[in-house]
Amino acid sequence: MGKTADLTDVQKAVIDTRYKEDKPQKSGDVTEKRRRTMLDAREGSGRMKRGRLTVTIDSQVVEGPKRLKKQKTDSASPTLPTSQMQSCMLDWGSLPHHVVLHVFQYLTLVDRARASSVCRRWNEVFHIPELWRKFEFELNQPATSYLKSTHPDLIQQIIKKHADHLQYVSFKVDSCTESAEAACDILSQLVNCSIKTLGLISTAKPSFMNVSKSHFVSALTVVFVNSKSLSSIKIDDTPVDDPSLKVLVANNSDTLKLLKMSSCPHVSPAGILCVADQCHGLRELALNYHLLSDELLLALSTEKHVRLEHLRIDVVSENPGQTQFHTIKKKSWDALIKHSPKVNIVMYFFLYEEEFDAFFREETPVTHLYFGRAVSKAMLGRIGMNCPRLIELVVCANGLQPLDDELIRIADRCKNLTAIGLGECEVTCSAFVEFVKMCGRRLTQLSIMEEVLIPDNKYNLEQIHCEVSKHLGRMWFPDMMPTW
C-alpha cells in the first residue's frame, strides 16, 4: 500500500471537529485515557492486516498466512486450493478509483476524511470533484435541536477547497433564526459554484421567514447570478420576491425545470407569470393558490412551452373566514390539458367549510385531492360531478352525515380513481361495498378508518372485510389509524 497521505485542511477540520466533541473531561483524564487505550486495542485487533483481506469462503474464514499455515498442519481442517488462497489476498491500495469512490459516497464526512488518510490512492479519491458534487449543510442550534449540525470550521474549508465542485446543494435548518441566517451567509459565499439544484429546507417554522428580506434576497441572488445552470429550486416558506425571480429568469431561463415556492408571501402573480413566460423548459411547479391565474395557465399552455408534468397548488386560508378565493375559468384549464394532457394537478386544501364556494363549480382537471380539514357533503358532491380526471382522494374529516351518495357518484364519474383515504367521516357498510364493487381492482390503495364504517342490515364490521377483499382481489381490513 502507498504511503500515508498528508492531511489537508478539510480533513483536519473534520477530525479536529470530532476530537473536540470526544475530548475527555479533566477530572477523569487517567481513567478516560485507560478506557481509550483499551478501545483502541480492541479496534486494532479487528483491523485488516496490511495488504490482506479477510473473507469467508464455503463457511471458512481466511485471515492471513499464519492462519493458512495452521490449517495445513491440522489434518482435521480442510485446506483451500492455491487459486482460492490467492483470490483472498487483495491489496486495498490497488482498488480502482471508481470502486473507492462508490464506497466513499456511503461514508459520513468524518469517516470519509479518516479513510482518505490511509494511503495516497484513497487520498486522491477524497479530492475527486464527483465526491463533492452533492452536499447537504445541516444548520441547527444545539440548545433547541437534537439534530447534528455541520461544524462552521468544516463549512469554511469545504467552501474554500470544493466550492467550484458543488452542484447539488441543500440546506436543512431548524426553526431558529440564527440557523437560517447562517445558511444565507453560506449562500453569499458560493460565488464560484455552478449549482444545478438548490433546496432550502426548514425542519420547523418559521426559520427563513424570520430572516430579513434584504439579507435573504441578497444571498439568493448570488446563487442565481453565478450558477447560470439551475434546473431545480425548492424555496418553500421563504421571503423570496419578484425582483429576485427576475434575476433567476435572466440567468437560468434555459435550464430551469422545477420550481417549488409554496408559502412565499412576497411573490405576486406577476412574478410567477414572468417565470412561466420565459422558462419554457419548466416541467414541475408548486405554488400557492393566490399565485394561480388564468394568465399563468395560458402561459404554460403556449406552443413554445414544454409539456408540464406536475402542478401542485396549496390552497391555504391565511385569515380564516375572511379570505376570498378567485375562480379559474374552465377554458384556462382546458388549454392546459390540451397542451399537457398527462399533467398531474395536485391540490392541497386547508380551508374551512364556508371558504370552498369558489371551487369545483365547473369541470376541473385535478388528479390528486387532499383535504386537511373538514369538507362538506356538497363539496364532495361537486367533486364527483366535476373532477373526471381524479386519481387520488383523501378526506381527513367530514362530519356526521353519511357520504353514501357522494362516494357512489365519485366511483361512477371518476374512472381513473385508484386511491382513496377517509378519516373522520361516516359511510354505511352497504354503500362502501357498492363503491368498492364499482371501482374494482383499480383501487390499489384503500385506507379507511374502522370507525368510518356504519353497520347496517346487510353487512357488519366482521363481514365487510371478506366482501371488500373479494372485489379487490386481495386481502383487505379497515385501518386502525390513518396511513396517509
Side-chain angles (χ1 to χ4, degrees):
M1 202 176 310
K3 296 180 179 180
T4 301
D6 295 332
L7 294 181
T8 65
D9 292 339
V10 175
Q11 295 162 327
K12 289 178 180 177
V14 172
I15 296 174
D16 287 347
T17 299
R18 177 57 64 88
Y19 172 75
K20 291 175 183 177
E21 294 174 352
D22 296 343
K23 191 173 182 180
Q25 300 296 323
K26 290 184 178 179
S27 60
D29 276 350
V30 176
T31 305
E32 183 67 16
K33 186 179 293 185
R34 184 181 298 130
R35 186 183 68 83
R36 287 182 173 277
T37 302
M38 294 175 64
L39 288 175
D40 290 340
R42 189 179 301 172
E43 290 179 359
S45 65
R47 290 174 185 160
M48 319 176 280
K49 293 185 178 181
R50 184 176 177 181
R52 295 292 181 267
L53 174 64
T54 301
V55 297
T56 302
I57 299 179
D58 295 331
S59 302
Q60 301 179 52
V61 178
V62 182
E63 297 180 345
K66 290 183 178 179
R67 180 63 177 170
L68 291 173
K69 187 174 181 180
K70 196 171 183 180
Q71 286 180 343
K72 289 181 180 180
T73 59
D74 188 356
S75 59
S77 302
T79 59
L80 292 173
T82 303
S83 60
Q84 288 190 4
M85 287 169 54
Q86 292 175 346
S87 67
C88 296
M89 300 177 183
L90 178 65
D91 185 356
W92 284 81
S94 65
L95 284 174
H97 276 182
H98 72 276
V99 174
V100 182
L101 177 63
H102 186 73
V103 174
F104 271 31
Q105 289 172 337
Y106 288 94
L107 299 180
T108 64
L109 191 58
V110 172
D111 292 337
R112 189 187 300 173
R114 286 175 171 171
S116 68
S117 64
V118 170
C119 66
R120 293 193 181 279
R121 180 179 288 269
W122 288 16
N123 186 263
E124 291 171 1
V125 174
F126 183 77
H127 295 288
I128 291 178
E130 186 176 346
L131 192 62
W132 298 96
R133 287 178 182 172
K134 183 177 181 180
F135 195 83
E136 180 176 74
F137 295 94
E138 296 185 79
L139 305 170
N140 306 288
Q141 302 304 310
T144 58
S145 177
Y146 64 90
L147 299 174
K148 288 185 177 181
S149 185
T150 310
H151 196 276
D153 294 341
L154 176 57
I155 290 173
Q156 291 305 315
Q157 290 297 331
I158 292 173
I159 292 174
K160 179 180 177 181
K161 297 289 185 180
H162 299 287
D164 54 340
H165 301 151
L166 295 173
Q167 293 184 0
Y168 310 97
V169 180
S170 62
F171 293 82
K172 184 183 290 184
V173 303
D174 60 10
S175 60
C176 292
T177 304
E178 292 84 353
S179 301
E181 289 177 341
C184 292
D185 292 338
I186 297 172
L187 284 172
S188 301
Q189 300 177 62
L190 302 182
V191 293
N192 297 319
C193 298
S194 181
I195 296 177
K196 294 183 178 180
T197 69
L198 174 65
L200 304 182
I201 305 166
S202 299
T203 57
K205 293 182 179 181
S207 196
F208 287 103
M209 291 305 299
N210 271 4
V211 177
S212 71
K213 179 183 171 186
S214 59
H215 186 195
F216 179 83
V217 169
S218 174
L220 200 61
T221 300
V222 170
V223 177
F224 288 172
V225 170
N226 291 282
S227 292
K228 299 187 184 301
S229 59
L230 279 166
S231 63
S232 174
I233 306 173
K234 300 178 181 180
I235 47 176
D236 298 326
D237 298 296
T238 62
V240 62
D241 59 6
D242 289 356
S244 55
L245 288 182
K246 289 182 180 180
V247 175
L248 168 67
V249 169
N251 293 276
N252 302 273
S253 61
D254 294 335
T255 58
L256 189 62
K257 295 181 180 179
L258 182 149
L259 178 60
K260 293 186 66 178
M261 45 181 297
S262 297
S263 301
C264 297
H266 301 296
V267 176
S268 71
I272 193 65
L273 183 59
C274 172
V275 176
D277 275 335
Q278 300 186 48
C279 298
H280 301 147
L282 195 65
R283 296 182 181 276
E284 296 188 38
L285 179 63
L287 71 168
N288 279 72
Y289 186 80
H290 77 273
L291 296 178
L292 189 68
S293 64
D294 295 292
E295 292 78 12
L296 176 60
L297 292 180
L298 293 175
L300 295 171
S301 306
T302 60
E303 292 183 1
K304 58 185 179 181
H305 205 289
V306 300
R307 288 184 171 87
L308 198 67
E309 297 175 359
H310 192 90
L311 175 61
R312 169 173 168 161
I313 306 162
D314 290 346
V315 191
V316 182
S317 177
E318 302 293 343
N319 300 301
Q322 301 178 17
T323 307
Q324 296 293 323
F325 292 94
H326 61 284
T327 301
I328 301 297
K329 297 177 182 177
K330 183 178 181 300
K331 67 177 183 180
S332 302
W333 287 119
D334 290 344
L336 179 65
I337 298 304
K338 182 178 180 181
H339 179 264
S340 305
K342 295 183 179 180
V343 61
N344 285 321
I345 301 176
V346 184
M347 298 185 75
Y348 285 81
F349 283 89
F350 296 91
L351 304 180
Y352 295 92
E353 286 191 26
E354 62 272 13
E355 297 176 317
F356 281 103
D357 189 63
F359 301 97
F360 307 118
R361 291 198 169 275
E362 293 185 306
E363 188 171 299
T364 307
V366 63
T367 55
H368 299 71
L369 272 176
Y370 305 94
F371 293 96
R373 294 181 186 147
V375 57
S376 66
K377 282 172 59 72
M379 184 64 176
L380 292 173
R382 279 190 242 163
I383 291 170
M385 293 295 294
N386 295 318
C387 299
R389 297 180 77 241
L390 190 63
I391 295 174
E392 183 170 349
L393 173 65
V394 173
V395 180
C396 291
N398 167 254
L400 300 178
Q401 295 178 305
L403 300 177
D404 297 3
D405 295 338
E406 288 72 25
L407 277 185
I408 298 300
R409 186 178 295 114
I410 289 172
D412 181 51
R413 299 291 297 272
C414 304
K415 301 297 185 182
N416 298 316
L417 188 71
T418 60
I420 187 169
L422 298 178
E424 298 177 12
C425 310
E426 287 191 354
V427 181
T428 64
C429 289
S430 296
F432 180 65
V433 170
E434 182 63 22
F435 167 80
V436 173
K437 181 179 179 180
M438 293 174 69
C439 293
R441 299 192 179 189
R442 62 183 166 93
L443 278 178
T444 57
Q445 186 173 352
L446 186 60
S447 179
I448 310 296
M449 297 287 290
E450 186 176 84
E451 57 264 30
V452 168
L453 301 171
I454 304 174
D456 53 23
N457 56 7
K458 194 170 183 180
Y459 298 103
N460 58 36
L461 292 178
E462 295 179 357
Q463 298 169 326
I464 193 170
H465 80 88
C466 295
E467 191 67 21
V468 171
S469 299
K470 180 179 69 175
H471 295 299
L472 290 178
R474 65 180 187 275
M475 189 62 69
W476 178 87
F477 289 93
D479 294 331
M480 301 304 294
M481 62 178 62
T483 57
W484 56 83

